Amino acid sequence: MSKLLVPIDFSECSLNALDFAIAIAKKTGAEVMLYHGYHVMTDTDYAPVAIGYVGIQLEEQQKLWDNRMAELCQDLAKQVYDTGKPLKIHQVVKMGIAVDDVADMTDTDEYKMVVMGTKGASGIEKFLFGSVTSAVADRVKVPVLAVPKGVKYKGFDNIVYGTNFDEQDIKVIDGLIDFANNFDSKITCLHINTNAETFTNDKVEMGVLRETYWFTPVDRLDFALRRADSVQKGLEHYLQEHNTDLLVVLHLNRGFLERIFERSVSKGLTFHSEVPLLILKK
């Protein structure tokens, strides 16, 4: 890894996601880039005379967020890689909108992952950050690790990859094995079957995938096939029954992601309330 990009709005949620980024960086040797985008709003009624006022507001906001970012970086100054070397942490503070800025920043090979919370702060910070996780995942070209509010980093002992028997499964699983080796993790490749008529075929597909990794011990890489009315319900039930630290999926459409990030009316919570979601890109 080269750099992890972490959008920060200084809410508890974004700082919690930062803990995950720091943990990953320590194990993989990645550098961490902290990004904060701020926004200045001016009443349009004063637009004809507001140019000078807006300029002052921009200057004050830049100083405010520069200072807060400097304080955060100072708090992180003692963080070190597993090798003992100081953790490399960078920062950028600018006026902007998170979705656009993050997409622009990750449009190079410099960044390998975006790590962000699924909930933001209140007011304007919530407007800028709180509802953009699915939009960022939809826009960027790199993996996005979405960390639910209140979920604390406890390692990645058990990783679940939700496979739909995609042609890129081998590439994804190989990459996850490399990632898991840093954390001594176990990976389970899980497929949710939603059609009883195709269950036998899915069982064959899973068998082929399992056979591809015949040389990998089952305590490092396992395979599971489950039936459910929908993929989302199947994932919820599986993750509720198993101690899972990370769910990994190939890029899903934005509508599905938004349903994941919304609170379930029937159950009061969904799996995202407890399990970080790593969204890979095809």
Side-chain angles (χ1 to χ4, degrees):
M1 285 192 167
S2 51
K3 285 185 181 179
L4 308 177
L5 178 58
V6 187
I8 295 289
D9 63 357
F10 301 99
S11 66
E12 180 182 352
C13 185
S14 68
L15 296 178
N16 185 51
L18 175 59
D19 289 341
F20 280 76
I22 295 295
I24 294 172
K26 287 181 176 180
K27 293 289 187 180
T28 63
E31 300 178 20
V32 177
M33 173 63 79
L34 307 180
Y35 155 81
H36 176 73
Y38 64 89
H39 184 66
V40 175
M41 299 183 69
T42 302
D43 193 325
T44 55
D45 291 341
Y46 297 96
V49 294
I51 296 178
Y53 172 75
V54 171
I56 294 173
Q57 288 295 304
L58 286 174
E59 184 176 347
E60 291 180 351
Q61 288 293 309
Q62 186 70 41
K63 289 180 179 180
L64 169 66
W65 297 118
D66 278 341
N67 289 336
R68 291 198 65 178
M69 187 65 83
E71 292 174 359
L72 177 59
C73 289
Q74 183 63 37
D75 291 339
L76 300 173
K78 294 183 180 180
Q79 296 284 356
V80 297
Y81 294 107
D82 283 1
T83 60
K85 294 182 178 181
L87 195 70
K88 293 183 178 180
I89 298 178
H90 311 274
Q91 58 180 292
V92 57
V93 177
K94 57 181 292 189
M95 184 178 72
I97 301 300
V99 176
D100 295 333
D101 287 346
V102 171
D104 289 342
M105 294 173 70
T106 56
D107 195 23
T108 69
D109 293 332
E110 183 179 12
Y111 294 96
K112 300 303 180 183
M113 183 185 294
V114 176
V115 183
M116 61 190 302
T118 59
K119 297 290 183 180
S122 60
I124 187 61
E125 292 181 12
K126 182 176 181 180
F127 171 76
L128 292 175
F129 285 88
S131 61
V132 303
T133 309
S134 61
V136 167
D138 194 54
R139 286 276 303 276
V140 303
K141 299 178 180 179
V142 299
V144 175
L145 175 58
V147 180
K149 182 178 181 179
V151 175
K152 301 300 181 182
Y153 176 76
K154 296 183 293 184
F156 295 122
D157 292 340
N158 294 294
I159 299 173
V160 173
Y161 168 48
T163 174
N164 196 33
F165 304 128
D166 190 272
E167 60 182 9
Q168 295 195 38
D169 273 352
I170 302 301
K171 180 180 178 180
V172 170
I173 295 171
D174 286 348
L176 286 177
I177 290 174
D178 288 341
F179 179 82
N181 285 339
N182 292 294
F183 300 91
D184 197 27
S185 313
K186 175 183 177 179
I187 302 169
T188 300
C189 297
L190 170 68
H191 177 72
I192 305 298
N193 172 274
T194 58
N195 185 345
E197 295 181 358
T198 64
F199 186 84
T200 300
N201 183 68
D202 286 348
K203 189 174 182 180
V204 172
E205 291 270 17
M206 186 63 81
V208 172
L209 193 58
R210 182 194 300 270
E211 189 64 23
T212 303
Y213 292 92
W214 61 269
F215 54 87
T216 306
V218 68
D219 63 339
R220 307 302 297 171
L221 179 63
D222 202 3
F223 300 84
L225 177 62
R226 296 290 187 273
R227 275 278 297 127
D229 293 334
S230 70
V231 173
Q232 185 175 354
K233 289 182 179 179
L235 288 173
E236 287 180 11
H237 293 160
Y238 185 88
L239 298 181
Q240 288 170 359
E241 295 172 359
H242 296 79
N243 184 23
T244 303
D245 300 299
L246 179 66
L247 172 64
V248 183
V249 296
L250 272 172
H251 180 59
L252 303 170
N253 65 69
R254 185 172 175 182
F256 187 89
L257 290 176
E258 289 174 340
R259 290 197 300 275
I260 286 178
F261 296 139
E262 288 296 326
R263 185 170 296 275
S264 169
V265 175
S266 60
K267 294 181 179 295
L269 55 85
T270 57
F271 61 80
H272 82 276
S273 297
E274 301 177 356
V275 181
L277 178 66
L278 177 61
I279 306 162
L280 306 180
K281 309 309 289 280
K282 291 187 177 181

